[in-house]
Amino acid sequence: FSEVLVRLPGVLGLLCSAFFLYRMSRRYTSEQTALLAAFALVACGDMLFYATIYAGEIDLFHMALVFGQAYAVFTGFQKKRYLEMFLWSYLFAAVGVLTK
């Protein structure tokens, strides 16, 4: 096994979570605040420690799926697109259940 391939899902999950956090917070705050929130998530000690040193765990990828589900529910409810909200939410939930 390659060290990069083992750590890739965790790092990608962390980056996807930061992206979802940025997209959700950009709507209600300034762009600087949204970038700061996303950077704070990535630079958090626990996230940085577990994403780079002890990666190979599926927890950060699962966190990205939970962020995606929250983003789907939040934006779908705001835009009153309920069918789209439930479809995306259930898709993220189904993949999350399969990962755990």
Side-chain angles (χ1 to χ4, degrees):
F1 292 100
S2 169
E3 196 172 316
V4 172
L5 289 178
V6 170
R7 292 187 171 143
L8 189 64
V11 172
L12 289 179
L14 182 61
L15 293 176
C16 287
S17 298
F19 174 73
F20 284 131
L21 179 63
Y22 169 75
R23 291 286 306 249
M24 277 196 300
S25 59
R26 187 179 66 174
R27 179 176 291 194
Y28 296 103
T29 62
S30 67
E31 184 152 353
Q32 274 186 331
T33 305
L35 282 172
L36 184 64
F39 180 72
L41 177 69
V42 172
C44 175
D46 269 352
M47 298 300 169
L48 200 57
F49 185 72
Y50 287 114
T52 57
I53 296 173
Y54 290 119
E57 299 174 3
I58 201 70
D59 293 337
L60 293 174
F61 179 68
H62 189 264
M63 180 181 72
L65 293 173
V66 171
F67 262 103
Q69 185 179 14
Y71 179 72
V73 169
F74 186 74
T75 57
F77 191 75
Q78 293 289 320
K79 295 178 181 178
K80 297 188 186 328
R81 294 182 184 168
Y82 300 115
L83 179 63
E84 186 179 326
M85 175 185 73
F86 283 117
L87 289 176
W88 281 107
S89 174
Y90 289 152
L91 176 73
F92 281 118
V95 174
V97 166
L98 291 174
T99 60
K100 282 300 200 177

